[in-house]
Amino acid sequence: MAYDALTGSLWLEYAPGPPRPALDGAVETEVAVVGGGIAGICTAWELARAGHSVVLLEADRIATGVTGHTTAKLSALHGQVYAEVKKVHGARGARLYAHSQQLAVERVAEVSEELGIDCDLERLPAYTWTEDPGRTDELRAEADAALEAGLPASYVTETSLPFPVAGAVRLESQAQFHPRKYLLGLAAHMERLGARIYERTRVTRLKEGSPCELTTERGHTIVAQYVVVATHYPVFDRSLLFTRLEPKRELVVAGPIAADRDPGGVFLTSEGGTRSVRTAPSGREGTRTLIVTGEQFAPGTTEEGEVGERYARLERWARERFGEVEFSHRWAAQDNSTTDRVPYVGRLHAGTRHVFVATGFAGWGMSSGVMAGSLLAARIRGREPAWTSLYDPVRLHPTRDVPAMLKLQAHVAKHFVGDRTPGAYVDSVDEVGPGQGAVVRVGGRLLAVHRDEAGALHAVSARCTHLGCVVHFNDEETSWECPCHGSRFAVDGRVVEGPATRPLERTRVDDGEGRQEEDGGR
């Protein structure tokens, strides 16, 4: 099947529910939650359920952003995390991590049953596997660390995958579900409880105080005693979290397979650029939908044609192991990792008691998002779960965090400075072919120029509105990406993904521009 015949995320095919209005005036509330993904919706629902006045603000439609592009594995087995968490946070930290994540899995099961939300929830085991005999000791150590942390984990040499493995960690009683069905159910319920949801409402400013004040791009204000920043990558960063967050993009392909080929679990390996496998109900008798994820890369770092080849590589891998599959869907997901692999959920910075943040889920946003909702709701209500300090964003472990922070900032500096040197952009608009995009210096400015298939040019400023790094073109997704902190923009400059909140400035260019300056300026 040709790529242009493929659709986007499987989850976005589900009806988005009734449209919510954009904010059109000033409002006051006890708690304002910025971001309508899993962390934001779960936080808002937990607070509304407890009787608090809540306003949820989403820049687009709820549950359509990162959450709408997840693979929706709901598990406390997060690759090889437990040995690492134990090393950094001690045995108690690993136990708290395991307990809080498994509670999140159970929370979805309990709430979906209580509210009657049919979200295709299926309970099944999770596996982290290797095909490399040289890595089995790592997985044995991970199984031991997970077991010590209180999870019913075991090391096995066989799985239900249709190919042999050298070894795997198995964890019982995990799950997979349809994230948007679940979250739209929560949204409808919290509205019945009195919560207000505003879509197409981008928040651009935060003034801290008692109360706090938020401002939207249209100039409307929200006054709240408490603010929760749940925008995936924080759009407000008063504690320099961007120095400790690393964005990664990952590709997903999906297509129908016979039900008897369903491996019956959720699976992950870090080998080959990461491979993640699960299935979902297809709605057609005798079939399931196979979902395969992998090919991690930093946004804004790919060459022309590279993303397309990565999709092809992912499909080849799946067909080699699951037989012929006609892939019907493909999409990409983005997430951020912290320097110690534990999410940041808690105070936005050390000096605040009224502003909270949830970020850094490292590809495990389903359990971590649910956990974050419970944790933040508890903290706003004056309670402190045992794992509060584990997830606190203001934590800093010098031996682990500082080297990782320096490495991340070296990466940022490379793009912030290096991308402005000659050779990092084409010399003329004429060099940008149909369907392509490139950075061109025109009139002393760096412009991000895209030529559509009809030949029309679309030009915007090439400097990301977050911190000024130069964007790069992703030809497969037809978008501009910031290689520093992962902001993404449409070709007309609109913000697709934060932390940027302002669009790239649009401008006009014509064929032949760029060449004259380069000819006369060197």
Side-chain angles (χ1 to χ4, degrees), residues 293-312:
T293 308
E295 294 296 321
Q296 286 188 352
F297 59 93
T301 62
T302 55
E303 301 293 334
E304 183 178 351
E306 181 181 341
V307 177
E309 173 51 34
R310 286 177 176 272
Y311 272 117

Side-chain angles (χ1 to χ4, degrees), residues 109-130:
E110 293 165 2
V111 171
S112 58
E113 181 177 1
E114 177 188 341
L115 300 184
I117 301 173
D118 182 6
C119 58
D120 300 335
L121 183 72
E122 298 173 313
R123 301 303 296 261
L124 67 185
Y127 297 84
T128 300
W129 93 86
T130 181

